[in-house]
Amino acid sequence: MLKVKSLSAGYQGNDVVHQVDFEVGSGEAVMIIGSNGAGKTTLFRAMCGLLVPSSGQVFFEGTDISGAPAERIARLGLRFVAAERHLFPQMTVHENLLLGANPYRPDPKTMSLILDLFPRLAERRRQHAGTMSGGEQQMLAVGRALMSKPRLLVLDEPSTGLAPLLAQAAYEALGALRKQGLTVLVAEQQVPLAMSFSERGYVLENGYIKLQGTAQELAANPIVRRAYLGVT
Amino acid sequence: MSEKLANNSDASPLETVGTHDARSLAALFIPLALLGIALALVPLRLGDSRVLMGVAVLGLTYGCYTIGFNVIFGSTGQLFLCVGALAGIGGYGAAILADTAGLAIWASILLATLAAATIGGLLSYIAVRRSLGVIFTGIVTLIFSLAFEALTLGLGEWTGGDTGLSLRAGADTFLQERIPPYYLMLALLLSFLLIHGLLRRSHIGWAFRALRDNEVAAELAGVDVARYRVYAALIGAAMLGLAGSTYVFTEGRVSSTTFGFGEVDIVVLVMLAFGGIGSLFGPIAGALTFTIIDEALIQFGQLRYVAYGILVIALFLWMPRGILPTISSFWRRARGPKQNTVAKPIQSIE
Amino acid sequence: MIANILDGIVLGLQFGLLAAGLTLVYGLGGVLNLAYGQMAVISAIVITLALSAGVPVLLAVALGLFVGGLAGLILDLTILRPVYRLRGEPRVLLSLLLTLGVSFIIDGFLNWRYPLETLSLRIPGEAVEILGVPMRRGSLIASAITLVTFAALFGFFRYTSLGRAVRSVIQDQEGARLVGIYPHRMLRLILVLSGVLAGLVAVTRSMVTPVDAQSGLSITVFALIVTVVGGLGNVAGALLAGIILGIVSVIAANLIGTYISLIILLAAAALTILIRPAGLLGVKE
């Protein structure tokens, strides 16, 4: 479904990620793990059109989307939920969700599905997004992305700014979506959370893919255990 | 933190400036002398025509305005859209002091210049204290301009309202002969250039010293920026007031259009666009070129503004490296809480 | 006092409409359009020419608004393209300088070609009494047009998906792109809209004071002041700022004198900017 080929990207001519290769198959849940500053966000921004990659290619369902603008990629069905969430703070939850639908025409069935999945959002439909708590904002960001019935959901650090219990709840919600057949790619530095959720993963370190494998393989890898799972 | 380190490395090219005093002094004085000689010869060609000498004096006056504006905007990034108003405080102030209050001409010019400087400094102080950006400084000073224009029109008994004032003071002196006003204005222009040149050197030296004494000094440099801005506004406004008041006496009259926003500020902006914001001699080149072109195109009346519009657009589009990077680097320096005064090498806009 | 407030509201609505087009373009695109007043003047001249060619009033006005919108579109397609490549304050500055150039071109051309054309839509008829205060018909119709325009604007932004999309770009451009909204298309739409609004400014203003080729600069300047006082990019703020400044100005004019009222208006604007740089209804970034 998604295939990234030797992608390099960065800011002002300095590459932050170097020749990254990875892929996500249909229906899979894939994680990219790495510490703070490993280049996860840069990688995702380059993939989703917010940053023009300096070299390499990105294919989404066979279409070459390398360097395409974010708005076009979003319309193709690849939805990116950034760590900063990028909600519309002075709009209500309802309006934020409506804007997530693509193109401009919300489907009431999707809306009620999402409100079933996140009952908190239903309670707060009339509240402005900017006044909600971090956990609610995260739900809204995911909910907004789901409004378009995306083919692939890409999440950058969904646990950012959330208390441990809320972070866990966020991943449980993602797990529920997975069961309904959604393809998910997630970047996470809280590795245990991502491990519990994904089937496969890649380890990004200093901008390079260092390791890859199934969740079990990675969990068993001594380097991963020491660096990311806190096991000595 | 990384920002600070980056600035340290940026600063290294400046050492060459600091260590070649003699050469940079020559680089200031030689062109200044050449310009002075060239401009001093102008009356030899135009001296017979009273009209053309009037145009030349006006051109020099606008040159002075442009330098004053450049000291404020070009050197410290404060967009003062009240050039005409500050010059007008000088002009109207001196005219009223000399004619109505009966002060000596030199004393009225001095007092009016001080008034302009004070108000310029005050505007800058407010802008710095409220940390207004370029745009907001522009808008507040634009509002000040409009208020000044309304005042000059409203206080008719003092300013003569729409028709303006004809000055009795200075009428029989050298100030209103054919040639001497030209040399007076030229002297003003050259001394303004000299002051601006010295200021630039001291500014760079100052900033360089602040940064060299590493972090603590760099922290303190933020304060220096604020203070330097107010100083620059004081000096620039004094230049505007002095040029405006002197011009009024050479012209023998003052009216609401002498210092109008459309007549002064916009023309000065265009001149600065011609010459390059922030450079020392650029504004003079701009002012002189503009005066000549304007005189040449005068037969086309209003239509010549079309040409200026096209020219302004072309300049800002195709010469942005000379103009915009200066602005953007000022902006970058001004926006962070940790400001510092290093004159960075001109950078491109990312 | 009631008379003052009513007159102030009439003037204030005019101020608010002045600012609406300018503030939208700034809020959405970080573009400060200094040729805004000239766009209004173009519309005014087009309407005048159409009227003197015998075109019926409503059709002439429609033509004027169309040309205003067209002017906005042309700005978007030409001079603003390089502006869109920049961000932040350099972007605002370049937009300001380039549109200043455009305003010279328009001003120069119109003052040369149509120096004497003046748009003055006189509404005949007796003054109408409101709350015991006689109000000129022209002022009332201009105010009504302004109110309807604002209602339409608010309705558009609140209840239509296109309006929501425009607001989303104002609030978070990156977020808007991530849900598949093309910011540049929204910006083009808003530039056209601001041109139409500039045309409306010409129409309503000409019901109260004549609009001619020299009016451009003062329209721009007042629009700019009201925009800043209301909060850059805030349509409701523009309306509120317009009404407050209008009332302040009328009361000052009646209590003290005409030219002082302008100065008080300006001082009020400057103070608001200094006390609340984000504007009356602005939100801190």
Side-chain angles (χ1 to χ4, degrees), chain B residues 135-182:
Chain B
I135 305 297
F136 278 86
T137 307
I139 288 170
V140 169
T141 50
L142 171 67
I143 291 177
F144 174 71
S145 281
L146 298 176
F148 177 78
E149 246 171 274
L151 263 184
T152 56
L153 289 176
L155 292 173
E157 57 217 274
W158 295 87
T159 61
D162 238 342
T163 33
L165 299 170
S166 277
L167 295 185
R168 273 164 285 131
D172 306 319
T173 62
F174 74 94
L175 285 169
Q176 285 177 30
E177 284 172 25
R178 194 153 32 93
I179 309 263
Y182 179 85

Short mmCIF file of all heavy atoms in Angstrom, two decimals, chain B residues 135-182:
data_model
loop_
_atom_site.label_atom_id
_atom_site.label_comp_id
_atom_site.label_asym_id
_atom_site.label_seq_id
_atom_site.Cartn_x
_atom_site.Cartn_y
_atom_site.Cartn_z
N ILE B 135 5.59 45.69 10.95
CA ILE B 135 4.30 46.12 10.41
C ILE B 135 3.58 47.03 11.40
O ILE B 135 3.05 48.09 11.03
CB ILE B 135 3.41 44.89 10.13
CG1 ILE B 135 4.13 43.91 9.21
CG2 ILE B 135 2.08 45.30 9.54
CD1 ILE B 135 4.44 44.43 7.87
N PHE B 136 3.60 46.64 12.67
CA PHE B 136 2.87 47.46 13.65
C PHE B 136 3.55 48.80 13.87
O PHE B 136 2.88 49.81 14.05
CB PHE B 136 2.69 46.69 14.96
CG PHE B 136 1.54 45.74 14.91
CD1 PHE B 136 1.69 44.47 14.41
CD2 PHE B 136 0.29 46.15 15.32
CE1 PHE B 136 0.62 43.60 14.33
CE2 PHE B 136 -0.80 45.28 15.25
CZ PHE B 136 -0.63 44.01 14.76
N THR B 137 4.88 48.80 13.88
CA THR B 137 5.57 50.08 13.95
C THR B 137 5.13 50.95 12.78
O THR B 137 4.84 52.14 12.95
CB THR B 137 7.10 49.87 13.91
OG1 THR B 137 7.46 48.93 14.90
CG2 THR B 137 7.82 51.18 14.15
N GLY B 138 5.08 50.34 11.59
CA GLY B 138 4.65 51.07 10.41
C GLY B 138 3.26 51.66 10.60
O GLY B 138 3.02 52.83 10.28
N ILE B 139 2.36 50.86 11.15
CA ILE B 139 0.98 51.34 11.25
C ILE B 139 0.85 52.43 12.31
O ILE B 139 0.19 53.45 12.09
CB ILE B 139 0.03 50.15 11.53
CG1 ILE B 139 -0.06 49.32 10.25
CG2 ILE B 139 -1.34 50.63 11.94
CD1 ILE B 139 -0.75 48.02 10.41
N VAL B 140 1.53 52.24 13.45
CA VAL B 140 1.44 53.28 14.49
C VAL B 140 2.02 54.60 13.97
O VAL B 140 1.44 55.67 14.17
CB VAL B 140 2.15 52.82 15.78
CG1 VAL B 140 2.29 53.97 16.75
CG2 VAL B 140 1.38 51.69 16.42
N THR B 141 3.16 54.53 13.28
CA THR B 141 3.74 55.77 12.79
C THR B 141 2.92 56.36 11.65
O THR B 141 2.86 57.58 11.50
CB THR B 141 5.19 55.54 12.33
OG1 THR B 141 5.23 54.43 11.44
CG2 THR B 141 6.11 55.27 13.50
N LEU B 142 2.26 55.48 10.89
CA LEU B 142 1.35 55.99 9.84
C LEU B 142 0.21 56.76 10.49
O LEU B 142 -0.18 57.84 10.02
CB LEU B 142 0.81 54.81 9.03
CG LEU B 142 -0.31 55.13 8.05
CD1 LEU B 142 0.21 56.00 6.93
CD2 LEU B 142 -0.91 53.86 7.47
N ILE B 143 -0.31 56.22 11.58
CA ILE B 143 -1.38 56.92 12.30
C ILE B 143 -0.87 58.27 12.79
O ILE B 143 -1.56 59.29 12.69
CB ILE B 143 -1.89 56.05 13.46
CG1 ILE B 143 -2.63 54.84 12.91
CG2 ILE B 143 -2.79 56.85 14.39
CD1 ILE B 143 -3.10 53.88 13.97
N PHE B 144 0.37 58.27 13.29
CA PHE B 144 0.95 59.53 13.74
C PHE B 144 1.02 60.54 12.58
O PHE B 144 0.69 61.72 12.74
CB PHE B 144 2.34 59.28 14.33
CG PHE B 144 3.07 60.54 14.68
CD1 PHE B 144 2.67 61.30 15.76
CD2 PHE B 144 4.14 60.98 13.92
CE1 PHE B 144 3.33 62.47 16.09
CE2 PHE B 144 4.81 62.14 14.23
CZ PHE B 144 4.39 62.89 15.32
N SER B 145 1.42 60.05 11.41
CA SER B 145 1.47 60.93 10.22
C SER B 145 0.12 61.56 9.94
O SER B 145 0.02 62.76 9.66
CB SER B 145 1.85 60.11 8.98
OG SER B 145 3.21 59.89 8.94
N LEU B 146 -0.92 60.72 9.98
CA LEU B 146 -2.26 61.23 9.66
C LEU B 146 -2.69 62.25 10.70
O LEU B 146 -3.31 63.28 10.36
CB LEU B 146 -3.25 60.08 9.61
CG LEU B 146 -2.97 59.02 8.56
CD1 LEU B 146 -3.96 57.89 8.67
CD2 LEU B 146 -3.04 59.63 7.17
N ALA B 147 -2.38 61.96 11.96
CA ALA B 147 -2.74 62.91 13.01
C ALA B 147 -2.02 64.23 12.79
O ALA B 147 -2.61 65.31 12.95
CB ALA B 147 -2.39 62.32 14.38
N PHE B 148 -0.75 64.15 12.40
CA PHE B 148 0.00 65.38 12.15
C PHE B 148 -0.63 66.16 11.00
O PHE B 148 -0.81 67.39 11.09
CB PHE B 148 1.46 65.05 11.83
CG PHE B 148 2.28 66.26 11.50
CD1 PHE B 148 2.72 67.10 12.50
CD2 PHE B 148 2.57 66.58 10.18
CE1 PHE B 148 3.45 68.23 12.21
CE2 PHE B 148 3.30 67.72 9.88
CZ PHE B 148 3.74 68.54 10.89
N GLU B 149 -1.00 65.45 9.94
CA GLU B 149 -1.62 66.12 8.80
C GLU B 149 -2.93 66.80 9.22
O GLU B 149 -3.21 67.95 8.85
CB GLU B 149 -1.90 65.13 7.68
CG GLU B 149 -1.07 65.41 6.44
CD GLU B 149 -1.19 64.30 5.41
OE1 GLU B 149 -0.44 63.31 5.50
OE2 GLU B 149 -2.03 64.44 4.52
N ALA B 150 -3.71 66.08 10.04
CA ALA B 150 -4.98 66.66 10.51
C ALA B 150 -4.71 67.90 11.35
O ALA B 150 -5.43 68.90 11.24
CB ALA B 150 -5.75 65.62 11.32
N LEU B 151 -3.66 67.84 12.15
CA LEU B 151 -3.33 68.99 13.00
C LEU B 151 -2.92 70.19 12.16
O LEU B 151 -3.36 71.31 12.41
CB LEU B 151 -2.18 68.63 13.94
CG LEU B 151 -2.54 68.18 15.35
CD1 LEU B 151 -1.28 67.95 16.16
CD2 LEU B 151 -3.41 69.24 16.02
N THR B 152 -2.07 69.97 11.16
CA THR B 152 -1.63 71.11 10.37
C THR B 152 -2.79 71.75 9.64
O THR B 152 -2.83 72.96 9.46
CB THR B 152 -0.55 70.72 9.34
OG1 THR B 152 -1.08 69.69 8.53
CG2 THR B 152 0.72 70.27 10.01
N LEU B 153 -3.75 70.93 9.24
CA LEU B 153 -4.92 71.50 8.58
C LEU B 153 -5.85 72.16 9.57
O LEU B 153 -6.46 73.19 9.29
CB LEU B 153 -5.66 70.41 7.79
CG LEU B 153 -4.94 69.92 6.55
CD1 LEU B 153 -5.71 68.79 5.89
CD2 LEU B 153 -4.74 71.06 5.56
N GLY B 154 -5.95 71.55 10.76
CA GLY B 154 -6.91 72.05 11.73
C GLY B 154 -6.46 73.30 12.46
O GLY B 154 -7.25 74.20 12.73
N LEU B 155 -5.16 73.38 12.76
CA LEU B 155 -4.66 74.54 13.50
C LEU B 155 -4.37 75.68 12.55
O LEU B 155 -3.24 76.18 12.47
CB LEU B 155 -3.40 74.15 14.28
CG LEU B 155 -3.61 73.18 15.45
CD1 LEU B 155 -2.28 72.74 16.02
CD2 LEU B 155 -4.47 73.82 16.52
N GLY B 156 -5.40 76.09 11.81
CA GLY B 156 -5.20 77.06 10.73
C GLY B 156 -4.55 78.35 11.17
O GLY B 156 -3.74 78.93 10.44
N GLU B 157 -4.88 78.81 12.38
CA GLU B 157 -4.34 80.12 12.79
C GLU B 157 -2.83 80.07 12.96
O GLU B 157 -2.15 81.08 12.88
CB GLU B 157 -5.04 80.57 14.08
CG GLU B 157 -4.90 79.59 15.21
CD GLU B 157 -6.18 79.54 16.06
OE1 GLU B 157 -6.27 80.37 16.95
OE2 GLU B 157 -7.05 78.68 15.82
N TRP B 158 -2.31 78.88 13.24
CA TRP B 158 -0.86 78.74 13.38
C TRP B 158 -0.20 78.35 12.07
O TRP B 158 0.87 78.82 11.74
CB TRP B 158 -0.54 77.67 14.42
CG TRP B 158 -0.97 78.02 15.81
CD1 TRP B 158 -2.20 77.80 16.38
CD2 TRP B 158 -0.19 78.70 16.79
NE1 TRP B 158 -2.23 78.29 17.65
CE2 TRP B 158 -1.01 78.84 17.93
CE3 TRP B 158 1.12 79.19 16.81
CZ2 TRP B 158 -0.56 79.47 19.10
CZ3 TRP B 158 1.55 79.80 17.98
CH2 TRP B 158 0.73 79.94 19.10
N THR B 159 -0.83 77.43 11.35
CA THR B 159 -0.16 76.83 10.20
C THR B 159 -0.64 77.38 8.87
O THR B 159 -0.09 77.04 7.83
CB THR B 159 -0.42 75.32 10.18
OG1 THR B 159 -1.84 75.13 10.05
CG2 THR B 159 0.05 74.66 11.46
N GLY B 160 -1.68 78.18 8.89
CA GLY B 160 -2.20 78.67 7.63
C GLY B 160 -3.07 77.64 6.92
O GLY B 160 -3.45 77.84 5.77
N GLY B 161 -3.37 76.52 7.60
CA GLY B 161 -4.28 75.52 7.03
C GLY B 161 -3.84 75.02 5.67
O GLY B 161 -2.67 74.71 5.46
N ASP B 162 -4.80 74.97 4.75
CA ASP B 162 -4.54 74.43 3.43
C ASP B 162 -3.56 75.26 2.63
O ASP B 162 -2.70 74.74 1.92
CB ASP B 162 -5.87 74.35 2.66
CG ASP B 162 -6.15 72.93 2.21
OD1 ASP B 162 -5.19 72.13 2.20
OD2 ASP B 162 -7.31 72.63 1.88
N THR B 163 -3.69 76.59 2.73
CA THR B 163 -2.84 77.46 1.92
C THR B 163 -1.42 77.52 2.46
O THR B 163 -0.48 77.70 1.70
CB THR B 163 -3.39 78.90 1.90
OG1 THR B 163 -4.02 79.14 3.16
CG2 THR B 163 -4.37 79.09 0.79
N GLY B 164 -1.25 77.38 3.76
CA GLY B 164 0.08 77.38 4.33
C GLY B 164 0.55 78.77 4.71
O GLY B 164 -0.23 79.72 4.77
N LEU B 165 1.84 78.86 4.97
CA LEU B 165 2.43 80.11 5.43
C LEU B 165 3.46 80.62 4.43
O LEU B 165 4.19 79.83 3.84
CB LEU B 165 3.15 79.89 6.77
CG LEU B 165 2.35 79.41 7.98
CD1 LEU B 165 3.29 79.04 9.09
CD2 LEU B 165 1.38 80.50 8.42
N SER B 166 3.49 81.95 4.26
CA SER B 166 4.62 82.55 3.56
C SER B 166 5.51 83.18 4.63
O SER B 166 5.02 83.93 5.47
CB SER B 166 4.15 83.62 2.58
OG SER B 166 3.76 83.00 1.39
N LEU B 167 6.79 82.85 4.59
CA LEU B 167 7.66 83.28 5.68
C LEU B 167 8.21 84.68 5.42
O LEU B 167 8.65 85.00 4.33
CB LEU B 167 8.83 82.31 5.83
CG LEU B 167 8.44 80.90 6.26
CD1 LEU B 167 9.68 80.08 6.50
CD2 LEU B 167 7.59 80.95 7.51
N ARG B 168 8.16 85.50 6.49
CA ARG B 168 8.86 86.78 6.40
C ARG B 168 10.31 86.59 6.81
O ARG B 168 11.21 87.13 6.22
CB ARG B 168 8.18 87.80 7.31
CG ARG B 168 7.03 88.52 6.64
CD ARG B 168 6.16 89.21 7.68
NE ARG B 168 5.33 88.25 8.39
CZ ARG B 168 5.21 88.18 9.71
NH1 ARG B 168 5.87 89.02 10.48
NH2 ARG B 168 4.42 87.29 10.27
N ALA B 169 10.52 85.76 7.83
CA ALA B 169 11.88 85.52 8.30
C ALA B 169 12.73 84.91 7.19
O ALA B 169 12.29 84.03 6.47
CB ALA B 169 11.86 84.59 9.50
N GLY B 170 13.91 85.39 7.04
CA GLY B 170 14.83 84.83 6.07
C GLY B 170 14.62 85.30 4.66
O GLY B 170 15.35 84.92 3.75
N ALA B 171 13.63 86.17 4.45
CA ALA B 171 13.29 86.54 3.08
C ALA B 171 14.41 87.33 2.39
O ALA B 171 14.63 87.19 1.20
CB ALA B 171 12.00 87.36 3.06
N ASP B 172 15.12 88.14 3.16
CA ASP B 172 16.13 88.98 2.51
C ASP B 172 17.54 88.44 2.72
O ASP B 172 18.52 89.14 2.49
CB ASP B 172 16.05 90.41 3.09
CG ASP B 172 14.63 90.94 2.97
OD1 ASP B 172 14.02 90.70 1.91
OD2 ASP B 172 14.14 91.55 3.96
N THR B 173 17.65 87.21 3.17
CA THR B 173 18.98 86.68 3.46
C THR B 173 19.45 85.81 2.31
O THR B 173 18.74 85.60 1.33
CB THR B 173 18.98 85.86 4.74
OG1 THR B 173 18.08 84.76 4.53
CG2 THR B 173 18.49 86.68 5.92
N PHE B 174 20.65 85.27 2.49
CA PHE B 174 21.21 84.38 1.47
C PHE B 174 20.34 83.13 1.29
O PHE B 174 20.40 82.45 0.27
CB PHE B 174 22.64 83.97 1.86
CG PHE B 174 22.70 82.98 2.98
CD1 PHE B 174 22.77 81.61 2.70
CD2 PHE B 174 22.70 83.38 4.31
CE1 PHE B 174 22.83 80.69 3.72
CE2 PHE B 174 22.74 82.46 5.33
CZ PHE B 174 22.81 81.11 5.04
N LEU B 175 19.48 82.83 2.29
CA LEU B 175 18.69 81.61 2.24
C LEU B 175 17.77 81.57 1.03
O LEU B 175 17.37 80.50 0.59
CB LEU B 175 17.84 81.49 3.51
CG LEU B 175 18.61 81.08 4.76
CD1 LEU B 175 17.76 81.26 6.00
CD2 LEU B 175 19.08 79.64 4.64
N GLN B 176 17.43 82.75 0.51
CA GLN B 176 16.52 82.71 -0.63
C GLN B 176 17.15 83.27 -1.89
O GLN B 176 16.45 83.65 -2.82
CB GLN B 176 15.22 83.41 -0.27
CG GLN B 176 14.39 82.52 0.65
CD GLN B 176 13.12 83.14 1.11
OE1 GLN B 176 12.53 83.94 0.42
NE2 GLN B 176 12.70 82.75 2.29
N GLU B 177 18.46 83.27 -1.92
CA GLU B 177 19.10 83.60 -3.20
C GLU B 177 19.08 82.36 -4.08
O GLU B 177 18.58 81.31 -3.70
CB GLU B 177 20.53 84.08 -2.94
CG GLU B 177 20.56 85.52 -2.41
CD GLU B 177 21.96 85.92 -1.98
OE1 GLU B 177 22.93 85.33 -2.50
OE2 GLU B 177 22.07 86.79 -1.10
N ARG B 178 19.70 82.49 -5.26
CA ARG B 178 19.56 81.42 -6.23
C ARG B 178 20.46 80.23 -5.89
O ARG B 178 20.03 79.09 -5.89
CB ARG B 178 19.88 81.96 -7.63
CG ARG B 178 19.48 81.06 -8.74
CD ARG B 178 19.19 81.85 -10.03
NE ARG B 178 20.02 83.05 -10.15
CZ ARG B 178 21.18 83.08 -10.80
NH1 ARG B 178 21.62 82.01 -11.41
NH2 ARG B 178 21.89 84.19 -10.85
N ILE B 179 21.74 80.51 -5.62
CA ILE B 179 22.72 79.42 -5.47
C ILE B 179 22.97 79.00 -4.02
O ILE B 179 23.05 77.81 -3.75
CB ILE B 179 24.05 79.81 -6.15
CG1 ILE B 179 23.76 80.29 -7.57
CG2 ILE B 179 25.04 78.65 -6.11
CD1 ILE B 179 23.93 79.29 -8.65
N PRO B 180 23.12 79.91 -3.07
CA PRO B 180 23.55 79.49 -1.73
C PRO B 180 22.72 78.40 -1.07
O PRO B 180 23.29 77.52 -0.43
CB PRO B 180 23.50 80.80 -0.92
CG PRO B 180 23.66 81.86 -1.94
CD PRO B 180 22.99 81.36 -3.17
N PRO B 181 21.38 78.40 -1.20
CA PRO B 181 20.63 77.33 -0.54
C PRO B 181 21.09 75.94 -0.99
O PRO B 181 21.10 75.00 -0.21
CB PRO B 181 19.19 77.58 -0.99
CG PRO B 181 19.14 79.01 -1.33
CD PRO B 181 20.50 79.35 -1.87
N TYR B 182 21.50 75.88 -2.26
CA TYR B 182 21.96 74.59 -2.78
C TYR B 182 23.14 74.09 -1.97
O TYR B 182 23.19 72.94 -1.55
CB TYR B 182 22.32 74.73 -4.26
CG TYR B 182 22.83 73.44 -4.86
CD1 TYR B 182 21.92 72.49 -5.35
CD2 TYR B 182 24.18 73.15 -4.91
CE1 TYR B 182 22.37 71.30 -5.88
CE2 TYR B 182 24.63 71.96 -5.44
CZ TYR B 182 23.72 71.04 -5.92
OH TYR B 182 24.17 69.86 -6.43
#
